[in-house]
DNA sequence: GTCTATACACCGATAGAC
DNA sequence: GTCTATCGGTGTATAGAC
Protein backbone atom coordinates (compact mmCIF):
# COMPACT_ATOMS: atom_id res chain seq x y z
CA UNK A 1 0.00 0.00 0.00
CA UNK A 2 1.46 3.35 -1.11
CA UNK A 3 1.89 6.46 0.95
CA UNK A 4 -1.37 8.05 2.14
CA UNK A 5 -2.07 10.96 4.43
CA UNK A 6 -3.47 10.10 7.83
CA UNK A 7 -6.75 11.67 6.80
CA UNK A 8 -7.06 9.53 3.70
CA UNK A 9 -6.20 6.44 5.69
CA UNK A 10 -8.82 7.24 8.31
CA UNK A 11 -11.51 7.75 5.67
CA UNK A 12 -10.60 4.53 3.90
CA UNK A 13 -10.68 2.59 7.16
CA UNK A 14 -14.02 4.07 8.23
CA UNK A 15 -15.53 3.14 4.88
CA UNK A 16 -14.06 -0.35 5.04
CA UNK A 17 -15.38 -0.80 8.58
CA UNK A 18 -18.90 0.13 7.51
CA UNK A 19 -18.73 -2.33 4.64
CA UNK A 20 -17.62 -5.13 6.94
CA UNK A 21 -20.31 -4.34 9.51
CA UNK A 22 -23.01 -4.19 6.83
CA UNK A 23 -22.01 -7.46 5.22
CA UNK A 24 -20.88 -9.54 8.20
CA UNK A 25 -22.02 -7.73 11.34
CA UNK A 26 -20.35 -5.70 14.06
CA UNK A 27 -18.82 -8.68 15.92
CA UNK A 28 -16.99 -9.61 12.71
CA UNK A 29 -15.56 -6.13 12.35
CA UNK A 30 -12.18 -6.76 13.95
CA UNK A 31 -9.18 -4.63 13.13
CA UNK A 32 -7.86 -7.51 11.06
CA UNK A 33 -10.96 -7.84 8.88
CA UNK A 34 -11.23 -4.07 8.49
CA UNK A 35 -7.68 -3.62 7.24
CA UNK A 36 -8.12 -6.64 4.97
CA UNK A 37 -11.23 -4.99 3.49
CA UNK A 38 -9.25 -1.77 3.03
CA UNK A 39 -6.26 -3.62 1.56
CA UNK A 40 -3.90 -2.38 4.25
CA UNK A 41 -1.49 -4.04 6.63
CA UNK A 42 -2.46 -4.58 10.23
CA UNK A 43 0.03 -2.12 11.66
CA UNK A 44 -1.14 0.73 9.45
CA UNK A 45 -4.40 0.77 11.37
CA UNK A 46 -2.72 2.07 14.50
CA UNK A 47 -0.97 4.69 12.45
CA UNK A 48 -4.40 6.23 11.72
CA UNK A 49 -6.35 5.35 14.89
CA UNK A 50 -5.22 4.69 18.44
CA UNK A 51 -7.77 1.91 18.92
CA UNK A 52 -10.71 0.09 17.38
CA UNK A 53 -12.96 2.00 19.76
CA UNK A 54 -11.82 5.31 18.31
CA UNK A 55 -12.67 4.16 14.81
CA UNK A 56 -16.16 3.12 15.92
CA UNK A 57 -16.69 6.53 17.50
CA UNK A 58 -15.83 8.25 14.23
CA UNK A 59 -17.93 5.79 12.27
CA UNK A 60 -21.00 6.46 14.41
CA UNK A 61 -20.58 10.21 14.32
CA UNK A 62 -20.03 10.34 10.56
CA UNK A 63 -22.62 7.87 9.31
CA UNK A 64 -25.67 8.03 11.56
CA UNK A 65 -26.85 11.52 10.80
CA UNK A 66 -25.93 11.62 7.13
CA UNK A 67 -27.38 8.20 6.41
CA UNK A 68 -30.72 8.94 7.98
CA UNK A 69 -31.07 12.48 6.73
CA UNK A 70 -30.43 11.30 3.19
CA UNK A 71 -33.44 9.06 3.53
CA UNK A 72 -36.22 11.31 4.63
CA UNK A 73 -37.82 14.09 2.65
CA UNK A 74 -37.78 14.07 -1.13
CA UNK A 75 -39.95 16.86 -2.52
CA UNK A 76 -43.16 18.17 -1.10
CA UNK A 77 -46.06 19.18 -3.27
CA UNK A 78 -49.63 19.82 -2.30
CA UNK A 79 -50.75 16.36 -1.13
CA UNK A 80 -52.84 15.70 1.92
CA UNK A 81 -51.18 15.11 5.25
CA UNK A 82 -52.09 11.44 5.02
CA UNK A 83 -50.40 11.09 1.65
CA UNK A 84 -47.29 12.87 2.86
CA UNK A 85 -46.90 10.50 5.81
CA UNK A 86 -47.62 7.49 3.61
CA UNK A 87 -45.14 8.61 0.95
CA UNK A 88 -42.48 9.48 3.50
CA UNK A 89 -42.66 6.17 5.33
CA UNK A 90 -43.18 4.27 2.08
CA UNK A 91 -40.07 5.88 0.63
CA UNK A 92 -38.13 4.84 3.69
CA UNK A 93 -39.37 1.27 3.30
CA UNK A 94 -38.16 1.25 -0.31
CA UNK A 95 -34.76 2.46 0.86
CA UNK A 96 -34.74 -0.28 3.47
CA UNK A 97 -35.64 -2.90 0.88
CA UNK A 98 -32.97 -1.66 -1.48
CA UNK A 99 -30.21 -1.61 1.15
CA UNK A 100 -31.19 -3.73 4.13
CA UNK A 101 -27.56 -4.28 5.15
CA UNK A 102 -27.05 -0.55 5.62
CA UNK A 103 -29.95 -0.13 8.03
CA UNK A 104 -29.00 -3.32 9.80
CA UNK A 105 -25.52 -1.90 10.28
CA UNK A 106 -26.99 1.37 11.59
CA UNK A 107 -29.05 -0.57 14.09
CA UNK A 108 -26.05 -2.56 15.28
CA UNK A 109 -24.03 0.62 15.69
CA UNK A 110 -26.85 2.24 17.65
CA UNK A 111 -27.01 -0.79 19.92
CA UNK A 112 -23.27 -0.70 20.48
CA UNK A 113 -23.42 3.03 21.19
CA UNK A 114 -26.26 2.71 23.70
CA UNK A 115 -24.23 0.18 25.62
CA UNK A 116 -20.73 1.59 25.28
CA UNK A 117 -21.00 5.22 24.18
CA UNK A 118 -24.23 6.57 25.68
CA UNK A 119 -23.44 10.24 25.08
CA UNK A 120 -22.69 9.60 21.44
CA UNK A 121 -25.91 7.63 21.03
CA UNK A 122 -27.95 10.40 22.62
CA UNK A 123 -26.37 13.03 20.39
CA UNK A 124 -27.08 11.08 17.22
CA UNK A 125 -30.63 10.27 18.25
CA UNK A 126 -31.23 13.97 18.94
CA UNK A 127 -29.94 14.90 15.51
CA UNK A 128 -32.21 12.29 13.99
CA UNK A 129 -35.25 13.71 15.78
CA UNK A 130 -34.42 17.23 14.67
CA UNK A 131 -34.42 16.09 11.07
CA UNK A 132 -37.87 14.58 11.57
CA UNK A 133 -39.04 17.77 13.28
CA UNK A 134 -37.76 20.01 10.50
CA UNK A 135 -39.53 17.83 7.95
CA UNK A 136 -42.78 18.00 9.88
CA UNK A 137 -42.64 21.77 10.14
CA UNK A 138 -42.02 21.99 6.43
CA UNK A 139 -45.03 19.76 5.83
CA UNK A 140 -47.22 21.85 8.12
CA UNK A 141 -46.20 25.03 6.38
CA UNK A 142 -46.86 23.48 2.97
CA UNK A 143 -50.26 22.00 3.73
CA UNK A 144 -51.33 24.84 6.00
CA UNK A 145 -52.32 22.46 8.76
CA UNK A 146 -51.74 22.86 12.46
CA UNK A 147 -50.61 20.17 14.89
CA UNK A 148 -53.00 19.27 17.68
CA UNK A 149 -50.07 18.00 19.75
CA UNK A 150 -46.62 19.61 19.93
CA UNK A 151 -44.64 19.05 16.74
CA UNK A 152 -41.61 17.59 18.62
CA UNK A 153 -43.94 14.92 20.00
CA UNK A 154 -45.17 14.03 16.53
CA UNK A 155 -41.54 13.95 15.40
CA UNK A 156 -40.67 11.52 18.17
CA UNK A 157 -43.63 9.35 17.26
CA UNK A 158 -42.41 9.31 13.67
CA UNK A 159 -38.96 8.23 14.84
CA UNK A 160 -40.49 5.45 16.95
CA UNK A 161 -42.41 4.23 13.91
CA UNK A 162 -39.36 4.34 11.69
CA UNK A 163 -37.23 2.37 14.12
CA UNK A 164 -40.01 -0.15 14.71
CA UNK A 165 -40.60 -0.51 10.99
CA UNK A 166 -36.89 -1.11 10.47
CA UNK A 167 -36.69 -3.89 13.05
CA UNK A 168 -39.95 -5.45 11.94
CA UNK A 169 -39.11 -5.58 8.26
CA UNK A 170 -35.56 -6.78 8.89
CA UNK A 171 -36.96 -9.62 10.99
CA UNK A 172 -39.69 -11.01 8.76
CA UNK A 173 -39.14 -9.20 5.41
CA UNK A 174 -42.90 -9.04 5.00
CA UNK A 175 -43.20 -6.07 2.65
CA UNK A 176 -46.95 -6.34 2.19
CA UNK A 177 -47.56 -6.28 5.91
CA UNK A 178 -45.18 -3.34 6.27
CA UNK A 179 -47.00 -1.41 3.55
CA UNK A 180 -50.38 -2.05 5.13
CA UNK A 181 -49.03 -0.92 8.49
CA UNK A 182 -47.59 2.24 6.96
CA UNK A 183 -50.99 2.99 5.46
CA UNK A 184 -52.64 2.56 8.86
CA UNK A 185 -49.94 4.67 10.51
CA UNK A 186 -50.41 7.47 7.99
CA UNK A 187 -54.12 7.38 8.62
CA UNK A 188 -53.65 7.53 12.38
CA UNK A 189 -50.94 10.19 12.27
CA UNK A 190 -52.92 12.48 10.01
CA UNK A 191 -55.55 12.81 12.75
CA UNK A 192 -52.99 14.64 14.88
CA UNK A 193 -53.44 17.83 12.86
CA UNK A 194 -56.33 19.92 11.69
CA UNK A 195 -56.37 21.77 8.39
CA UNK B 1 -20.18 -27.54 42.33
CA UNK B 2 -22.28 -30.50 43.38
CA UNK B 3 -24.05 -32.98 41.16
CA UNK B 4 -26.87 -31.54 39.07
CA UNK B 5 -29.05 -32.99 36.36
CA UNK B 6 -28.36 -31.81 32.84
CA UNK B 7 -31.69 -30.01 32.86
CA UNK B 8 -30.88 -28.09 36.01
CA UNK B 9 -27.49 -27.20 34.63
CA UNK B 10 -29.00 -25.93 31.40
CA UNK B 11 -31.51 -23.77 33.25
CA UNK B 12 -28.85 -22.34 35.51
CA UNK B 13 -26.60 -21.54 32.56
CA UNK B 14 -29.42 -19.92 30.58
CA UNK B 15 -30.29 -17.73 33.56
CA UNK B 16 -26.64 -16.83 34.12
CA UNK B 17 -26.22 -15.98 30.44
CA UNK B 18 -29.18 -13.62 30.54
CA UNK B 19 -27.79 -11.91 33.62
CA UNK B 20 -24.41 -11.41 31.97
CA UNK B 21 -25.97 -10.07 28.77
CA UNK B 22 -28.22 -7.70 30.71
CA UNK B 23 -25.43 -6.31 32.85
CA UNK B 24 -22.47 -6.35 30.46
CA UNK B 25 -23.84 -6.91 26.97
CA UNK B 26 -23.87 -9.80 24.53
CA UNK B 27 -20.23 -9.46 23.40
CA UNK B 28 -19.18 -9.96 27.03
CA UNK B 29 -21.21 -13.14 27.34
CA UNK B 30 -18.46 -15.66 26.63
CA UNK B 31 -18.70 -19.20 27.91
CA UNK B 32 -16.11 -18.30 30.54
CA UNK B 33 -18.05 -15.34 31.95
CA UNK B 34 -21.29 -17.29 31.86
CA UNK B 35 -19.96 -20.24 33.87
CA UNK B 36 -18.30 -17.79 36.28
CA UNK B 37 -21.70 -16.13 36.81
CA UNK B 38 -23.27 -19.54 37.37
CA UNK B 39 -20.45 -20.63 39.69
CA UNK B 40 -19.50 -23.56 37.53
CA UNK B 41 -16.30 -24.79 35.98
CA UNK B 42 -15.56 -24.18 32.34
CA UNK B 43 -15.82 -27.80 31.26
CA UNK B 44 -19.23 -28.27 32.81
CA UNK B 45 -20.65 -25.96 30.18
CA UNK B 46 -20.02 -28.46 27.42
CA UNK B 47 -21.60 -31.13 29.55
CA UNK B 48 -24.92 -29.27 29.28
CA UNK B 49 -24.60 -27.61 25.84
CA UNK B 50 -22.64 -28.59 22.77
CA UNK B 51 -21.75 -24.99 21.96
CA UNK B 52 -22.28 -21.38 22.93
CA UNK B 53 -24.53 -21.02 19.90
CA UNK B 54 -26.85 -23.69 21.23
CA UNK B 55 -27.20 -21.90 24.53
CA UNK B 56 -28.08 -18.65 22.74
CA UNK B 57 -30.74 -20.47 20.71
CA UNK B 58 -32.36 -21.75 23.88
CA UNK B 59 -32.03 -18.37 25.53
CA UNK B 60 -33.80 -16.63 22.66
CA UNK B 61 -36.55 -19.22 22.43
CA UNK B 62 -37.22 -19.24 26.17
CA UNK B 63 -37.03 -15.58 27.03
CA UNK B 64 -38.32 -13.54 24.09
CA UNK B 65 -41.95 -14.53 24.14
CA UNK B 66 -42.36 -14.93 27.89
CA UNK B 67 -40.60 -11.68 28.65
CA UNK B 68 -42.75 -9.61 26.33
CA UNK B 69 -46.03 -11.38 27.02
CA UNK B 70 -45.54 -10.81 30.74
CA UNK B 71 -45.43 -7.12 30.02
CA UNK B 72 -48.54 -6.47 28.04
CA UNK B 73 -52.09 -6.67 29.27
CA UNK B 74 -52.91 -6.37 32.95
CA UNK B 75 -56.66 -6.19 33.44
CA UNK B 76 -59.18 -4.63 31.13
CA UNK B 77 -62.16 -2.73 32.43
CA UNK B 78 -64.50 -0.46 30.60
CA UNK B 79 -62.18 2.39 29.60
CA UNK B 80 -62.17 4.11 26.26
CA UNK B 81 -59.97 2.78 23.49
CA UNK B 82 -57.68 5.77 23.93
CA UNK B 83 -57.21 5.03 27.61
CA UNK B 84 -56.52 1.36 26.95
CA UNK B 85 -53.76 2.18 24.48
CA UNK B 86 -52.33 4.82 26.79
CA UNK B 87 -52.38 2.51 29.79
CA UNK B 88 -50.95 -0.40 27.86
CA UNK B 89 -48.04 1.55 26.42
CA UNK B 90 -47.59 3.49 29.66
CA UNK B 91 -47.40 0.25 31.59
CA UNK B 92 -44.75 -1.00 29.22
CA UNK B 93 -42.77 2.22 29.72
CA UNK B 94 -42.88 1.70 33.49
CA UNK B 95 -41.60 -1.84 33.02
CA UNK B 96 -38.83 -0.48 30.80
CA UNK B 97 -37.89 2.13 33.40
CA UNK B 98 -37.85 -0.46 36.16
CA UNK B 99 -35.71 -2.96 34.25
CA UNK B 100 -33.93 -1.24 31.38
CA UNK B 101 -31.18 -3.86 31.29
CA UNK B 102 -33.69 -6.59 30.55
CA UNK B 103 -35.15 -4.85 27.51
CA UNK B 104 -31.68 -3.87 26.36
CA UNK B 105 -30.70 -7.53 26.55
CA UNK B 106 -33.82 -8.50 24.58
CA UNK B 107 -32.89 -6.02 21.89
CA UNK B 108 -29.33 -7.33 21.66
CA UNK B 109 -30.61 -10.88 21.38
CA UNK B 110 -33.04 -9.86 18.65
CA UNK B 111 -30.21 -8.18 16.76
CA UNK B 112 -28.04 -11.25 17.08
CA UNK B 113 -30.90 -13.47 15.94
CA UNK B 114 -31.69 -11.33 12.90
CA UNK B 115 -28.08 -11.61 11.78
CA UNK B 116 -27.27 -15.18 12.77
CA UNK B 117 -30.54 -17.04 13.37
CA UNK B 118 -33.09 -15.49 10.99
CA UNK B 119 -35.67 -18.26 11.34
CA UNK B 120 -35.58 -18.04 15.11
CA UNK B 121 -35.97 -14.27 14.97
CA UNK B 122 -38.95 -14.54 12.65
CA UNK B 123 -40.61 -17.10 14.86
CA UNK B 124 -40.22 -15.01 17.99
CA UNK B 125 -41.38 -11.85 16.26
CA UNK B 126 -44.46 -13.70 15.02
CA UNK B 127 -45.23 -14.87 18.54
CA UNK B 128 -44.83 -11.32 19.77
CA UNK B 129 -47.29 -10.03 17.17
CA UNK B 130 -49.82 -12.69 18.04
CA UNK B 131 -49.76 -11.58 21.64
CA UNK B 132 -50.45 -8.02 20.52
CA UNK B 133 -53.23 -9.24 18.25
CA UNK B 134 -54.90 -11.30 20.99
CA UNK B 135 -54.79 -8.29 23.27
CA UNK B 136 -56.36 -6.07 20.63
CA UNK B 137 -59.16 -8.51 19.99
CA UNK B 138 -59.83 -8.71 23.69
CA UNK B 139 -59.95 -4.92 23.83
CA UNK B 140 -62.31 -4.74 20.86
CA UNK B 141 -64.64 -7.28 22.44
CA UNK B 142 -64.56 -5.42 25.74
CA UNK B 143 -65.22 -1.93 24.38
CA UNK B 144 -67.52 -3.10 21.60
CA UNK B 145 -65.60 -1.19 18.99
CA UNK B 146 -64.72 -2.33 15.48
CA UNK B 147 -61.39 -1.85 13.71
CA UNK B 148 -61.41 0.25 10.56
CA UNK B 149 -58.26 -1.53 9.39
CA UNK B 150 -57.49 -5.23 9.85
CA UNK B 151 -56.64 -6.07 13.45
CA UNK B 152 -53.32 -7.76 12.51
CA UNK B 153 -52.26 -4.48 10.94
CA UNK B 154 -53.08 -2.57 14.12
CA UNK B 155 -51.17 -5.22 16.05
CA UNK B 156 -48.13 -4.75 13.86
CA UNK B 157 -48.34 -1.00 14.30
CA UNK B 158 -48.43 -1.51 18.06
CA UNK B 159 -45.34 -3.69 17.85
CA UNK B 160 -43.54 -1.03 15.78
CA UNK B 161 -44.39 1.56 18.42
CA UNK B 162 -43.23 -0.64 21.26
CA UNK B 163 -39.90 -1.39 19.62
CA UNK B 164 -39.40 2.27 18.70
CA UNK B 165 -40.30 3.37 22.20
CA UNK B 166 -37.82 0.89 23.63
CA UNK B 167 -34.93 2.12 21.51
CA UNK B 168 -35.85 5.76 22.01
CA UNK B 169 -36.10 5.60 25.76
CA UNK B 170 -32.97 3.48 26.11
CA UNK B 171 -31.05 6.06 24.10
CA UNK B 172 -32.06 9.32 25.76
CA UNK B 173 -33.94 8.16 28.91
CA UNK B 174 -36.33 11.06 28.43
CA UNK B 175 -39.37 9.75 30.29
CA UNK B 176 -41.44 12.92 29.91
CA UNK B 177 -40.97 12.92 26.16
CA UNK B 178 -41.81 9.22 26.02
CA UNK B 179 -45.01 9.78 28.01
CA UNK B 180 -46.09 12.64 25.77
CA UNK B 181 -45.43 10.50 22.72
CA UNK B 182 -47.44 7.62 24.16
CA UNK B 183 -50.33 10.00 24.73
CA UNK B 184 -50.16 11.17 21.11
CA UNK B 185 -49.87 7.58 19.90
CA UNK B 186 -52.92 6.53 21.90
CA UNK B 187 -54.85 9.42 20.44
CA UNK B 188 -53.82 8.54 16.91
CA UNK B 189 -54.37 4.78 17.33
CA UNK B 190 -57.84 5.20 18.78
CA UNK B 191 -58.99 6.75 15.49
CA UNK B 192 -58.44 3.39 13.81
CA UNK B 193 -61.66 2.02 15.30
CA UNK B 194 -65.25 3.16 15.52
CA UNK B 195 -67.46 2.44 18.48
C1' DG C 1 6.40 5.78 6.91
C1' DT C 2 5.28 1.16 6.13
C1' DC C 3 5.85 -3.35 6.55
C1' DT C 4 6.63 -8.32 8.96
C1' DA C 5 6.99 -10.53 13.12
C1' DT C 6 5.58 -11.05 17.54
C1' DA C 7 3.69 -10.32 22.53
C1' DC C 8 0.13 -11.35 25.33
C1' DA C 9 -4.90 -11.96 26.61
C1' DC C 10 -8.93 -14.33 25.74
C1' DC C 11 -11.81 -17.17 22.99
C1' DG C 12 -14.36 -22.02 22.24
C1' DA C 13 -13.59 -26.57 22.88
C1' DT C 14 -11.46 -30.94 24.64
C1' DA C 15 -8.20 -34.45 26.94
C1' DG C 16 -7.15 -36.67 30.78
C1' DA C 17 -6.66 -36.89 35.94
C1' DC C 18 -9.49 -38.13 39.73
C1' DG D 1 -19.51 -36.95 36.44
C1' DT D 2 -16.65 -33.18 37.42
C1' DC D 3 -12.67 -31.02 37.64
C1' DT D 4 -7.78 -28.86 36.07
C1' DA D 5 -4.83 -28.28 32.37
C1' DT D 6 -4.15 -27.43 27.81
C1' DC D 7 -4.82 -27.00 22.55
C1' DG D 8 -5.33 -24.21 18.46
C1' DG D 9 -7.06 -20.00 17.02
C1' DT D 10 -8.01 -15.09 17.01
C1' DG D 11 -8.28 -10.70 19.22
C1' DT D 12 -5.73 -5.89 20.06
C1' DA D 13 -1.68 -3.74 20.08
C1' DT D 14 3.34 -2.97 19.46
C1' DA D 15 8.52 -3.71 18.43
C1' DG D 16 11.78 -3.67 15.21
C1' DA D 17 13.45 -4.44 10.30
C1' DC D 18 13.77 -1.78 6.18
Amino acid sequence: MGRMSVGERRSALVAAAFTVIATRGLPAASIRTIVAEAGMSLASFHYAFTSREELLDVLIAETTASERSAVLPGQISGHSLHDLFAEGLGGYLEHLRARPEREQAMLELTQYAVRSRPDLAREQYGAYQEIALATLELVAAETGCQWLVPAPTVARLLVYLTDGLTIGWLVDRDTDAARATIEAAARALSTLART
Side-chain angles (χ1 to χ4, degrees), chain A:
Chain A
M1 178 89 335
R3 208 160 283 198
M4 304 172 65
S5 75
V6 174
E8 289 170 327
R9 216 170 265 281
R10 284 171 71 99
S11 300
L13 285 168
V14 167
F18 189 80
T19 300
V20 171
I21 294 169
T23 55
R24 296 202 275 146
L26 184 55
S30 68
I31 295 179
R32 285 180 138 93
T33 59
I34 292 169
V35 294
E37 173 69 31
M40 294 182 197
S41 70
L42 179 56
S44 61
F45 179 92
H46 290 284
Y47 176 72
F49 292 101
T50 65
S51 69
R52 176 177 181 269
E53 192 178 55
E54 193 198 358
L55 176 135
L56 289 179
D57 283 2
V58 173
L59 180 56
I60 291 167
E62 284 191 3
T63 55
T64 307
S66 68
E67 178 73 16
R68 296 242 150 155
S69 68
V71 167
L72 277 182
Q75 80 280 19
I76 296 179
S77 53
H79 299 75
S80 68
L81 199 56
H82 169 282
D83 290 353
L84 287 169
F85 277 126
E87 282 173 22
L89 288 168
Y92 173 73
L93 176 61
E94 289 312 305
H95 162 85
L96 180 60
R97 295 210 313 143
R99 306 183 161 274
E101 339 77 34
R102 290 187 85 85
E103 290 308 315
Q104 172 120 3
M106 302 301 298
L107 221 50
E108 289 183 58
L109 285 169
T110 299
Q111 195 96 252
Y112 162 80
V114 169
R115 178 74 74 176
S116 307
R117 285 270 171 283
D119 294 346
L120 208 52
R122 201 177 305 231
E123 192 182 331
Q124 295 310 117
Y125 196 76
Y128 184 20
Q129 271 175 211
E130 277 171 27
I131 292 167
L133 178 58
T135 307
L136 284 180
E137 282 172 346
L138 199 63
V139 165
E142 192 74 20
T143 62
C145 71
Q146 197 174 11
W147 300 111
L148 299 173
V149 298
T153 299
V154 183
R156 183 170 262 258
L157 184 51
L158 202 53
V159 171
Y160 285 2
L161 282 171
T162 307
D163 284 342
L165 167 65
T166 304
I167 292 179
W169 188 85
L170 284 175
V171 168
D172 67 11
R173 309 265 165 154
D174 189 335
T175 303
D176 290 342
R179 289 204 179 114
T181 309
I182 286 173
E183 169 61 27
R187 184 168 172 173
L189 284 169
S190 63
T191 65
L192 295 179
R194 61 171 171 76
T195 48

